[in-house]
Amino acid sequence: MSAAPEARRPVARVLPPAWRAAAMTMLVFTAVLYLAEVVDVASGNRLDAEGAIQPHSVDGLLGILTAPLLHSGWAHLIGNTVPFLVFGFLAMAGGFVQWFMVTATVWVASGLGVWLFSTNATIGVSGVIFGWFVFLLVRGFFVRSFGQIALAVALFVIYGSLLWGVLPSDPMISWQAHLFGALGGLLAGYLVGRADRPTRAVPPADPFAGGVTRRI
């Protein structure tokens, strides 16, 4: 009996296959963050108070979903905007479904880390940004893609200093969100690498897998 044919390996892309749609998705996502800040300012920062992660509180668990959409002022939001756009766009290289699963992984990992280990109410999307960043740094090594590794090197040269944010420093900055978002990105990179490795039989659909059939 002949051996089962090796499954075709998904294309390990560096840029999103539908880059215009990916760019529009990130612009709309960013617009939501800015709209949330407008509403928060108009409400006297009520959104920040009600949507923050409140550590060790059952009621505060809801903040895991809402806190990344909120920021403590325009300077906080503006400072997050460029890396949010860049990393979020590049993380769509595997298609929208994979991007959604990666984002959900880092979003929840960051929020749970804050809820479990922080002592302060926390808001901001930087945990997601750290997750995307680490995902982009490690993905190519797990997938064994030269192009993605080259991108990781370039991103590390430009943004590598961000990684210091996983260590305690400024008491007003949540290193817990950064650290656990980064760990979520590491996990997502591993899962993407495992899903995209060639196998002896065609695997079942995996939401972390890339490939030519993904749409964005």
Side-chain angles (χ1 to χ4, degrees), residues 29-38 68-71 77 84 125:
F29 200 170
T30 303
V32 170
L33 301 184
Y34 275 77
L35 178 60
E37 186 60 23
V38 169
L69 302 174
L70 305 171
H71 290 82
L77 175 55
F84 179 79
V125 79

Side-chain angles (χ1 to χ4, degrees), residues 118-161:
S118 181
T119 56
N120 301 312
T122 301
I123 55 175
V125 79
S126 58
V128 176
I129 290 172
F130 270 73
W132 282 339
F133 183 41
V134 171
F135 168 73
L136 292 168
L137 291 181
V138 304
R139 172 191 59 181
F141 295 95
F142 287 122
V143 177
R144 300 167 190 168
S145 163
F146 175 79
Q148 291 182 353
I149 291 172
L151 174 65
V153 171
L155 289 175
F156 183 79
V157 169
I158 299 170
Y159 292 104
S161 61

Side-chain angles (χ1 to χ4, degrees), residues 10-17 88-106 132 135-136 139-140 143 148 188-197 206-216:
V11 177
R13 295 186 177 90
V14 173
L15 296 176
F89 173 79
L90 292 173
M92 288 192 192
F96 181 78
V97 173
Q98 184 186 98
W99 175 83
F100 179 83
M101 297 302 295
V102 169
T103 301
T105 300
V106 301
W132 282 339
F135 168 73
L136 292 168
R139 172 191 59 181
V143 177
Q148 291 182 353
Y190 167 75
L191 293 174
V192 166
R194 188 180 67 174
D196 281 358
R197 289 193 195 108
D206 190 319
F208 282 95
V212 296
T213 61
R214 297 297 183 195
R215 296 292 183 266
I216 197 160

Side-chain angles (χ1 to χ4, degrees), residues 32-47 74:
V32 170
L33 301 184
Y34 275 77
L35 178 60
E37 186 60 23
V38 169
V39 174
D40 181 56
V41 171
S43 68
N45 298 323
R46 182 176 177 181
L47 283 186
W74 291 108

